[in-house]
Amino acid sequence: MQIKWQRFRVVKRVPLRISRGTSYVDDNLWVTLAHDGVEGWGEATPISFTSPPQTTERLVEGLTHVVPDLEALDPFEGEAFAQVCAKHDIP
């Protein structure tokens, strides 16, 4: 299995206003998982109201540490994925 990611920026046409503030831009990650000719996609978006706040940099750091252990697994082993992520304290 292979896991890759790349950063991308979302610039909102209309700012998102909620009780915690206003957001004009989001920096996210596009995550790709490939195994036996099948590819899956996902998005990682940091949230700022956690303590400490998530950032795109923290997500990249977490992925950098956990991906070597995840790539050794079968992607259909969901419980094993969860255990590896918990072990690495992924944000």
Side-chain angles (χ1 to χ4, degrees):
M1 176 173 55
Q2 182 181 25
I3 301 172
K4 300 183 291 187
W5 64 88
Q6 65 184 36
R7 294 173 186 247
F8 71 98
R9 176 169 274 191
V10 176
V11 179
K12 298 176 177 123
R13 207 169 15 162
V14 177
L16 174 64
R17 289 189 175 94
I18 59 174
S19 62
R20 289 183 290 279
T22 302
S23 171
Y24 300 89
V25 174
D26 285 326
D27 289 313
N28 303 332
L29 297 177
W30 183 255
V31 182
T32 305
L33 185 150
H35 180 74
D36 287 342
V38 177
E39 189 172 276
W41 304 329
E43 179 181 343
T45 303
I47 51 176
S48 60
F49 56 86
T50 60
S51 180
Q54 287 182 348
T55 62
T56 305
E57 290 74 25
R58 286 190 66 221
L59 292 174
V60 167
E61 182 181 321
L63 281 170
T64 301
H65 292 317
V66 75
V67 161
D69 288 346
L70 290 178
E71 287 184 328
L73 299 175
D74 183 303
F76 299 105
E77 296 175 9
E79 183 63 32
F81 262 64
Q83 290 173 359
V84 169
C85 290
K87 179 180 92 174
H88 285 278
D89 193 28
I90 298 302

